[in-house]
Amino acid sequence: MTINLTVKQLANKIDHTLLKADAQEADFEKLCQEARSYGFKMVAINSYPVALCKKLLDGSLVHVGAAIGFPLGQTTIETKVVETKEAIKNGADEIDYVINLSKLKDGDDKYIEEEMQTIVDICKKEDVLSKVILETCYLTDDEKKKVCEIAKEVQPDFVKTTTGFGSAGATADVKLMKEVVGDKVKVKAAGGIRDLKTAKDMLEAGADRLGMSSSVKVIEEYRAEQS
């Protein structure tokens, strides 16, 4: 696939990710330095290091994104609200939260909608972008469509494929998700994007944003291809 993007434009579609449990301050310093240098759209981190990364990225255009209810989504709405508000207070520009998969699989669509509406409303009030993580590797196509239909009504900024910690990463789910949400909501592909070909495939399928830890490798591949 040929994508009509400059190296800078491709970098600006990437959320540079570090969500490892044992990540240390030096790792976040490296993450932020790379994000600033390459012009990535966002650093995707857990909620605890938000304040640190916000400080490290001061003066840059790189967003700080906090993962909420990560990676299982198995906390109450109230708990996710507290974590979301604290992350925003500490400097988060974007919120990626994991839905309650158990509730979805139990057919409790009302709960999924309430959870989404609550977090999206907080983000909109604070002028922060919101992303809803479906963790598609555990869902049937009907369940994926159901969440996307709810999202089409609630209108978060993005629906996102996976956490990267599940049984599989971004796949053809991007195309399915985009078909449902249309132009109402954007799609973020994340999980298993480790090379330029996969990144291109996700963009072709309809992704507007890519989450990956192999960001530098992918951009260097693209730069070499363009030269």
Side-chain angles (χ1 to χ4, degrees), residues 166-185:
S167 58
T171 63
D173 292 326
V174 171
K175 187 173 185 294
L176 180 152
M177 291 162 66
K178 189 62 180 175
E179 286 174 352
V180 177
V181 298
D183 296 328
K184 294 283 187 179
V185 182

Side-chain angles (χ1 to χ4, degrees), residues 3-26:
I3 55 175
N4 188 27
L5 296 171
T6 65
V7 172
K8 183 178 180 180
Q9 287 170 332
L10 177 59
N12 198 240
K13 287 182 175 291
I14 294 174
D15 291 350
H16 194 30
T17 305
L18 179 59
L19 294 160
K20 294 180 179 178
D22 61 348
Q24 297 176 278
E25 188 167 326

Side-chain angles (χ1 to χ4, degrees), residues 15-193:
D15 291 350
H16 194 30
T17 305
L18 179 59
L19 294 160
K20 294 180 179 178
D22 61 348
Q24 297 176 278
E25 188 167 326
D27 298 314
F28 292 112
E29 289 174 352
K30 181 173 183 286
L31 181 83
C32 292
Q33 186 277 323
E34 289 172 343
R36 186 190 288 267
S37 175
Y38 282 87
F40 296 130
K41 183 65 178 181
M42 187 187 89
V43 290
I45 55 176
N46 285 297
S47 57
Y48 177 75
V50 164
L52 170 63
C53 289
K54 190 67 175 180
K55 181 179 179 180
L56 291 169
L57 289 165
D58 184 46
S60 79
L61 297 176
V62 182
H63 286 185
V64 175
I68 304 297
F70 198 86
L72 302 178
Q74 296 300 301
T75 53
T76 63
I77 294 174
E78 291 77 13
T79 300
K80 289 176 183 176
V81 164
V82 170
E83 190 178 6
T84 296
K85 287 182 176 180
E86 184 176 39
I88 293 172
K89 180 183 177 181
N90 288 337
D93 304 289
E94 305 190 17
I95 295 293
D96 293 37
Y97 89 91
V98 188
I99 66 166
N100 190 315
L101 291 165
S102 296
K103 284 293 188 180
L104 177 66
K105 287 195 161 290
D106 283 339
D108 196 343
D109 300 342
K110 184 177 179 181
Y111 184 97
I112 297 300
E113 182 176 358
E114 179 187 355
E115 179 182 67
M116 193 184 300
Q117 190 73 67
T118 301
I119 294 175
V120 168
D121 283 350
I122 292 168
C123 291
K124 285 183 177 178
K125 182 180 178 182
E126 299 294 336
D127 197 25
V128 165
L129 294 180
S130 56
K131 306 194 198 85
V132 179
I133 307 175
L134 278 59
E135 199 68 308
T136 54
C137 52
Y138 298 124
L139 305 181
T140 65
D141 282 354
D142 284 344
E143 288 166 342
K144 296 166 196 172
K145 289 175 183 176
K146 175 54 69 176
V147 181
C148 288
E149 285 166 359
I150 293 171
K152 191 174 180 179
E153 294 303 314
V154 176
Q155 293 190 28
D157 294 286
F158 289 83
V159 284
K160 176 179 169 183
T161 54
T162 67
T163 62
F165 284 72
S167 58
T171 63
D173 292 326
V174 171
K175 187 173 185 294
L176 180 152
M177 291 162 66
K178 189 62 180 175
E179 286 174 352
V180 177
V181 298
D183 296 328
K184 294 283 187 179
V185 182
K186 295 179 181 179
V187 176
K188 175 178 172 179
I193 305 174

